[in-house]
Amino acid sequence: MRRRFLPGLKARGSSPETAELVAGITEVVGGGGALSAAATAALIGHMTDSPPPVIDQELLRRFDALTPRERDVVVLVASGLGNDEIAAQMSVSPFTVKTHAVRAMTKVGARDRAQLVSFVFRAGLCP
């Protein structure tokens, strides 16, 4: 993680916010505490200043084959919710959630839930 983020942050120039963010990330990666409020604000600022991610158009076309319900399920899966939590939120059974997730994985060509989540983000379906 440090190899990916720190060079990019350092390349943005040196400011008190960037320096604090770099120090905070280094602290957390090293097993320390969470980021300070100022470092968190700097991170959010950095993320909102970043260009939007490149959308994988082929994956997006695969997601077009999903039913609206399947799409709802995969977005909730990508947000980190489990079947029981999704079921409660959608007022369906956990078995129904699992069925929608499995069908969605089949339609988009994902071999497991982790790959499905990756596809959701690469297709730009989650912010």
Side-chain angles (χ1 to χ4, degrees):
M1 176 178 160
R2 190 159 71 195
R3 283 180 289 196
R4 279 192 296 173
F5 289 108
L6 294 184
L9 289 173
K10 289 177 181 176
R12 289 180 57 101
S14 61
S15 70
E17 294 86 9
T18 301
E20 186 170 348
L21 182 56
V22 169
I25 290 171
T26 302
E27 173 77 16
V28 171
V29 169
L35 297 175
S36 70
T40 301
L43 179 60
I44 291 169
H46 171 72
M47 297 304 289
T48 56
D49 290 343
S50 297
V54 175
I55 304 300
D56 186 324
Q57 295 299 319
E58 172 56 32
L59 282 178
L60 193 54
R61 280 190 285 283
R62 290 189 212 169
F63 277 102
D64 286 342
L66 300 181
T67 67
R69 209 62 159 160
E70 289 167 346
R71 186 179 288 258
D72 291 343
V73 168
V74 297
V75 169
L76 292 171
V77 166
S79 73
L81 298 179
N83 289 350
D84 291 338
E85 295 164 310
I86 296 169
Q89 187 168 332
M90 295 179 70
S91 299
V92 297
S93 75
F95 179 76
T96 299
V97 171
K98 185 174 181 178
T99 299
H100 286 312
V102 168
R103 287 184 180 159
M105 285 188 287
T106 300
K107 288 179 180 180
V108 301
R111 65 180 167 271
D112 55 31
R113 283 174 80 109
Q115 192 174 42
L116 179 64
V117 170
S118 172
F119 285 0
V120 168
F121 281 92
R122 288 179 31 217
L125 297 177
C126 278

